[in-house]
């Protein structure tokens, strides 16, 4: 992945994480600045990157959609299912990069989405297993390995949406 592609991916992840409340607006502005430094450029990106910390909370919601569109990236409306799924995948990438422990990753997913987001259901279940592993037959290391495998699956198939496994009769 080139530095420009990596910056576009990071900006996309920050946008998804912002849409679900995982990161602050100023983090999106920082990602926009990093994207400019890496070689991405568009009028909307320049305006977004020029926001001050004080302006970010007020302006990002207006500036981000246009900046992403100009770059061919996706804007996820706040609290949309697609945004939630993109945020789960962004957190999975962060965990695989060592920015989050497997335990912290599952905790954040479970806290934010509970057992309601089909894509993240297994992660919520694994978070429950962390809470009770001393009474079960798995070690924390085994649960870590399952979380890591699930994160890899999520990252390897970024455009596949999870479907409910139970169908009504």
């Amino acid at each position: 992945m080139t530095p420009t592609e990596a910056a576009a991916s990071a900006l996309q992840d920050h946008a998804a994480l912002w849409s679900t409340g995982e990161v602050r607006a100023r983090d999106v502005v920082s990602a926009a600045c990093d994207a400019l430094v890496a070689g991405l450029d568009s009028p909307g990106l320049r305006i977004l990157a020029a926001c001050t910390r004080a302006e970010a909370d007020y302006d990002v919601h207006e500036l981000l959609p246009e900046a992403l569109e100009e770059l061919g990236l996706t804007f996820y409306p706040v609290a949309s299912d697609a945004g939630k799924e993109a945020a789960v995948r962004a957190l999975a990438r962060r965990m695989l990069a060592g920015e989050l422990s497997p335990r912290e990753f599952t905790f954040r997913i479970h806290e934010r989405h509970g057992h309601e987001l089909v894509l993240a259901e297994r992660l919520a279940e694994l978070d429950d297993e962390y809470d009770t592993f001393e009474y079960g037959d798995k070690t924390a290391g085994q649960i870590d390995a399952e979380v890591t495998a699930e994160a890899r699956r999520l990252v390897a198939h970024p455009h596949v949406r999870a479907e409910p496994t139970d169908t009504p009769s």
Side-chain angles (χ1 to χ4, degrees):
M1 184 179 293
T2 68
T4 305
E5 291 168 335
S9 179
L11 180 61
Q12 182 71 79
D13 281 355
H14 276 84
L17 292 168
W18 173 79
S19 79
T20 61
E22 281 287 335
V23 299
R24 295 178 156 189
R26 67 179 174 210
D27 298 322
V28 174
V29 171
S30 292
C33 291
D34 293 344
L36 279 173
V37 169
L40 287 176
D41 194 16
S42 77
L45 182 63
R46 282 184 247 135
I47 294 168
L48 179 61
C51 283
T52 65
R53 286 181 180 222
E55 295 168 334
D57 287 333
Y58 301 103
D59 294 343
V60 164
H61 71 280
E62 273 186 39
L63 299 173
L64 185 58
E66 182 178 339
L68 293 176
E69 183 179 332
E70 290 171 355
L71 297 169
L73 301 175
T74 303
F75 173 74
Y76 298 102
V78 172
S80 68
D81 286 343
K84 290 174 187 177
E85 290 183 358
V88 167
R89 287 185 169 95
L91 287 174
R93 281 188 284 280
R94 286 183 170 193
M95 192 221 71
L96 293 171
E99 296 174 31
L100 299 170
S101 69
R103 176 68 173 114
E104 184 180 2
F105 172 51
T106 60
F107 177 79
R108 287 173 72 173
I109 296 299
H110 198 186
E111 180 180 56
R112 180 83 52 200
H113 306 291
H115 291 266
E116 301 302 314
L117 188 63
V118 175
L119 180 78
E121 173 61 21
R122 182 64 186 135
L123 295 169
E125 291 169 356
L126 288 166
D127 185 56
D128 290 336
E129 288 185 31
Y130 278 118
D131 293 338
T132 61
F133 79 88
E134 64 267 10
Y135 307 109
D137 57 350
K138 291 184 186 174
T139 66
Q142 289 171 317
I143 299 169
D144 286 351
E146 285 189 52
V147 170
T148 301
E150 184 66 9
R152 285 188 180 124
R153 183 190 68 78
L154 290 169
V155 170
H157 304 288
H159 301 294
V160 176
R161 294 192 72 186
E163 297 297 330
T165 54
D166 296 329
T167 55
S169 308

